[in-house]
Amino acid sequence: MALYDEGVFPSITELAAHAQVSRATAYRYFPTQSALIAAVVAESLGPILEWRPQDNDALKRIQQLLTFAYPQMEQHEGALRAALQLSLQQWANATPGEKFVRGNRKRLLKLAVEPLQDKLPPEALQRVIHSFSLIYGSEVFLVLKDIWGLDLGGIQDVTQWMAKAIIRQAEEDAMNSRKPLA
């Protein structure tokens, strides 16, 4: 994890040398680059995966998730970049075999929108989840940081603002769909 946090994306052989263990030992724990990245991501971002909402309001829930998760992502940015790089390489190379699997975002975002289940039709609720996936995640974090030069506070500000806009639009759409036509 220290190597990734320093921006170094080691091979299994390099990891073994850094850890002062044999290559065979390193490969026993991490038989593939995917296994190594998955272990690093699970360890570094584990607290995010354990997040539980503290409120019964969807906007407050997504704001809590963003406020909690983005500092973790900033702390372990190297692991995020390595995971994204591996995912893109596997897609580009159509690498057969073990794939680095992503997808914890879906579970977390479903938890965030639970309070909207009785307020929105299923297709509108799904649209909110899809929209939230564009404001929460390592890709968003890296775009706002790398392209726009935002720091953590700026990233939080932009994503929180977008969360409010998404919720307001979903609520407005739901209200308009219930109004009788004149």
Side-chain angles (χ1 to χ4, degrees):
M1 285 179 52
L3 290 172
Y4 285 102
D5 288 344
E6 293 171 8
V8 177
F9 301 167
S11 66
I12 308 295
T13 301
E14 293 166 331
L15 175 69
H18 183 78
Q20 298 179 341
V21 298
S22 72
R23 283 181 43 198
T25 298
Y27 276 101
R28 190 171 28 252
Y29 285 98
F30 308 112
T32 64
Q33 193 72 20
S34 292
L36 173 60
I37 299 288
V40 169
V41 168
E43 180 66 27
S44 61
L45 300 181
I48 296 173
L49 305 180
E50 300 302 318
W51 175 79
R52 296 290 177 261
Q54 302 296 313
D55 206 284
N56 286 326
D57 177 84
L59 178 57
K60 288 181 182 175
R61 282 184 175 202
I62 192 68
Q63 289 173 329
Q64 289 165 0
L65 175 60
L66 295 170
T67 299
F68 178 72
Y70 279 130
Q72 293 287 324
M73 290 183 193
E74 182 181 50
Q75 183 178 356
H76 299 291
E77 184 177 331
L80 292 178
R81 290 181 184 277
L84 187 55
Q85 179 184 11
L86 180 63
S87 177
L88 292 172
Q89 280 177 325
Q90 288 176 339
W91 177 83
N93 298 335
T95 306
E98 184 183 353
K99 295 282 189 189
F100 176 68
V101 179
R102 305 167 71 204
N104 291 306
R105 171 183 337 213
K106 291 178 179 180
R107 184 184 60 77
L108 292 171
L109 294 176
K110 283 181 183 177
L111 278 173
V113 302
E114 269 180 356
L116 294 174
Q117 284 182 338
D118 296 333
K119 297 177 182 177
L120 299 177
E123 64 278 357
L125 186 64
Q126 192 61 51
R127 186 180 307 123
V128 169
I129 293 170
H130 290 163
S131 298
F132 279 169
S133 72
L134 297 174
I135 66 168
Y136 170 73
S138 57
E139 304 87 356
V140 176
F141 175 84
L142 295 172
V143 163
L144 293 173
K145 183 173 183 171
D146 293 353
I147 294 174
W148 296 107
L150 297 181
D151 63 5
L152 180 60
I155 293 168
Q156 292 279 15
D157 182 56
V158 169
T159 56
Q160 299 278 350
W161 183 86
M162 289 191 300
K164 289 178 199 171
I166 291 166
I167 294 284
R168 285 186 186 139
Q169 188 62 52
E171 289 172 342
E172 181 182 318
D173 289 354
M175 279 183 37
N176 289 338
S177 69
R178 290 188 207 126
K179 290 182 181 178
L181 296 174

